[in-house]
Amino acid sequence: MTAQEKAKNYFFFVNDEKFDTDEEVVTGAYIKSRIANLPPGSGLEMEGQGSDPNKLIGDGDSVSLKLGHGQGPLRFTTVPPANFG
């Protein structure tokens, strides 16, 4: 068995599309880099688990994809770029 075959496979959802990765911890920038045709300046919001509120995820913010007890996969939605003026 190769090291790649031994690697854990993590996943997350963005706008109902599933993304697979071998990384346990990813950044907002990494997640956004996986989304085809994402308009520049778009934001990313992570759905809250249970009664937790949704949270905006910045490009430099790290999130763990490891599933905890009773915790489902992380789900994100894209936020369109803000238009001011």
Side-chain angles (χ1 to χ4, degrees), residues 47-65:
E47 290 183 12
Q49 297 281 333
S51 61
D52 294 337
N54 291 357
K55 179 181 176 185
L56 286 175
I57 303 296
D59 288 350
D61 293 339
S62 296
V63 293
S64 173
L65 301 176

Side-chain angles (χ1 to χ4, degrees), residues 27-36 38 41-44 57-59 78:
T27 63
Y30 174 83
I31 295 168
K32 287 168 43 175
S33 76
R34 303 286 306 273
I35 305 166
L38 183 68
S42 293
L44 194 65
I57 303 296
D59 288 350
T78 54

Side-chain angles (χ1 to χ4, degrees), residues 7-84:
K8 287 188 177 180
N9 197 18
Y10 299 94
F11 63 96
F12 56 93
F13 291 88
V14 179
N15 301 333
D16 295 324
E17 184 176 352
K18 183 179 179 181
F19 294 90
D20 294 299
T21 181
D22 292 331
E23 303 294 325
E24 181 179 329
V25 177
V26 296
T27 63
Y30 174 83
I31 295 168
K32 287 168 43 175
S33 76
R34 303 286 306 273
I35 305 166
N37 303 315
L38 183 68
S42 293
L44 194 65
E45 186 175 67
M46 181 174 69
E47 290 183 12
Q49 297 281 333
S51 61
D52 294 337
N54 291 357
K55 179 181 176 185
L56 286 175
I57 303 296
D59 288 350
D61 293 339
S62 296
V63 293
S64 173
L65 301 176
K66 185 176 181 180
L67 297 178
H69 179 70
Q71 176 185 354
L74 293 183
R75 295 183 177 274
F76 301 89
T77 53
T78 54
V79 179
N83 291 327
F84 296 101

